[in-house]
Amino acid sequence: VEHRFRIGEAVVDLLHYGSGVTTAGGTLHWPASDFEMSVAGFEEACAAATDVRIAKGIAVRCVTVPGLVLLKIAAFVDRAARQDPKHRNDAEDILYWLKHYASGNDSSRRFDLPSLHLDGIDYESAGAAVLGLDVRKLMSSGVQGLVDRFLAIAGDPHGAFVNIIASVIHDDDRAGQERERVARLVAAFRAGLGTHAD
């Protein structure tokens, strides 16, 4: 993998993007492997990155969770289209944040939804709606199509996204319940985004 190297036990992917580096379609072309990699969402995620202190006097720029989710959505759509099995990992990562965003010390945000005209969303799904609100703040018109494609896939109760989640459950009743739960989370996320897939 041309962009990957190791520092001790750490695996580091060093990706460049921007004017003069990426193609007009938002991809990187790796010369040795001839592989084209999408960098959709990089500009949005990096623009919203924040400084995180990792040691005394040392801070690094890190993407926020909404920025990470936007990148994961782009990766999921790209990899699913190429039938890359890593899209399963992307789906699991997205689902994790749909379930757990705006929790812990940030859980009070789950109660603000009625004031934002997001009624009818239960507490369990409210974090996904808050995540949708925060992802929407990062989005540009350049990634709107990708997000809409993700919503179309994830909104299908028998589509690739939900099937990945349900496939690890071997009890039909529990798998059905998980499908319903994922559908509620995706619907809440969509409501927060305020976008509609065709």
Side-chain angles (χ1 to χ4, degrees), residues 99-122:
K99 289 179 177 179
H100 299 291
Y101 193 69
S103 57
N105 293 336
D106 206 24
S107 63
S108 62
R109 294 187 66 199
R110 293 182 177 224
F111 296 100
D112 294 337
L113 298 182
S115 66
L116 300 170
H117 308 292
L118 290 170
D119 300 316
I121 297 173
D122 62 17

